[in-house]
Each structure stands twice: as structure tokens, then as C-alpha cells.
Amino acid sequence: MIDTGQLLLAEYEQIKQEQRARIGFRDNLIYATLGAMAAVVGSTLARNGHLEMLLLLPPLSVILGWTYLVNDEKISAIGRYIRDELSPRLKELTADQAEVFGWESAHRRDAYRSSRKRSQLAVDLLTFCGTPLAALTVYWLFGPMHWPLLLISLVEATVITGLAVQVVRYADLGR
């Protein structure tokens, strides 16, 4: 028969495994985004003046950025669950009420966490929102102003702005 402590430890192992997998996937999304950006810019340059190709960058950035954001939020949610739910339940089961999974809280008390999280927010915004907005700006300044493409670019700018709001909202800047 499995006791409560063993069950909670098994749950911990499972959610930590999910968290590790999500971290790897999330981090690889940065490389995928940079690769997509390079492909779009390279294609645009190779086609001599077809700046409308830059309109491909915003949807790619938004899709990859949203996927990054969702995974990042789930990674944080797993950490919160361990700190707020699992650790206290396991602590109650220990004979001396010893602290359980201290690292889950300790790393959040790092003196540089706030500046590191603000820097990460800036990188996320630049990667997933700033770069596609720069592509749109180049298109608006130098590209062909056909009304369907202009309409598409305005919709893209709106969607990028929405993503930026969500990135800031989920930045987890607190302790």
C-alpha cells in the first residue's frame, strides 16, 4: 500500500519531469524564432525589393511567441504548485515539520532576480514583438502600399500589440 508521502513524492517527480520538458521546449522556441526570422529576412533580400515578404515575419513571431508564453506560464504554474500546495502538504507529513523542496522558493529570493526578470522581459518583447514591428515599419516605409497588404500589416500590428500586453502581464516580476 502506498502512503500519502510516497504519493506526493511521485506527483512531485511527475510534475518536475513535465517542467523540465517544457523548459527545454520553451528554450528551443527562441532558436526556432531566430531561424524563422533569418529565413524571412533572407528570402526578402534574395528577392530584391519584395518587401511584402516581411509581412510573413509577424505571424511567425506571434505563433512562436504565444507558444513560448504559454509554456513559460505553465513552467511558473508548476513552480507555484510545488511551493504553495505540494511542499506544505509534505511538510505536514514530516516528523519535525522540516522544510521540503527549499530550492523552489530559495531561488526566488535571489537579490538579482528582479533585474534578471526585467531583462528577460525586455528580451522576450524584443524577440517576439519588437522584431516583427521593425519588419512592419520597414514595409510601411519602403514597401508597396497595396490596400490588402496594408490592411494585413495593420492587423498584424494589432496582434503583435496584443501579444506584447500578454508578455508583460505574465512576466512574473514579483518574488
Side-chain angles (χ1 to χ4, degrees), residues 120-131:
Q120 185 63 53
L121 173 59
V123 167
D124 293 348
L125 286 171
L126 178 64
T127 302
F128 298 112
C129 303
T131 303

Side-chain angles (χ1 to χ4, degrees), residues 117-172:
K117 291 299 282 185
R118 284 192 311 270
S119 296
Q120 185 63 53
L121 173 59
V123 167
D124 293 348
L125 286 171
L126 178 64
T127 302
F128 298 112
C129 303
T131 303
L133 285 175
L136 287 175
T137 301
V138 169
Y139 170 74
W140 290 328
L141 292 174
F142 306 108
M145 287 296 129
H146 305 298
W147 74 265
L149 295 178
L150 184 58
L151 181 61
I152 288 169
S153 71
L154 293 173
V155 169
E156 289 177 342
T158 303
V159 173
I160 293 166
T161 302
L163 176 62
V165 167
Q166 295 302 315
V167 169
V168 171
R169 173 189 258 173
Y170 287 101
D172 192 23

Side-chain angles (χ1 to χ4, degrees), residues 67-133:
T67 306
Y68 176 93
L69 181 63
V70 168
N71 273 278
D72 191 58
E73 194 284 324
K74 294 299 180 206
I75 291 163
S76 295
I78 289 169
R80 276 191 309 276
Y81 176 76
I82 291 170
R83 284 188 309 278
D84 300 342
E85 302 290 330
L86 202 53
S87 290
R89 288 166 52 199
L90 271 168
K91 182 178 179 177
E92 288 176 8
L93 296 175
T94 62
D96 58 359
Q97 297 287 294
E99 191 63 38
V100 184
F101 308 132
W103 173 249
E104 298 291 341
S105 297
H107 76 277
R108 296 179 64 83
R109 294 187 297 266
D110 175 13
Y112 301 105
R113 182 177 190 279
S114 180
S115 64
R116 191 174 58 250
K117 291 299 282 185
R118 284 192 311 270
S119 296
Q120 185 63 53
L121 173 59
V123 167
D124 293 348
L125 286 171
L126 178 64
T127 302
F128 298 112
C129 303
T131 303
L133 285 175

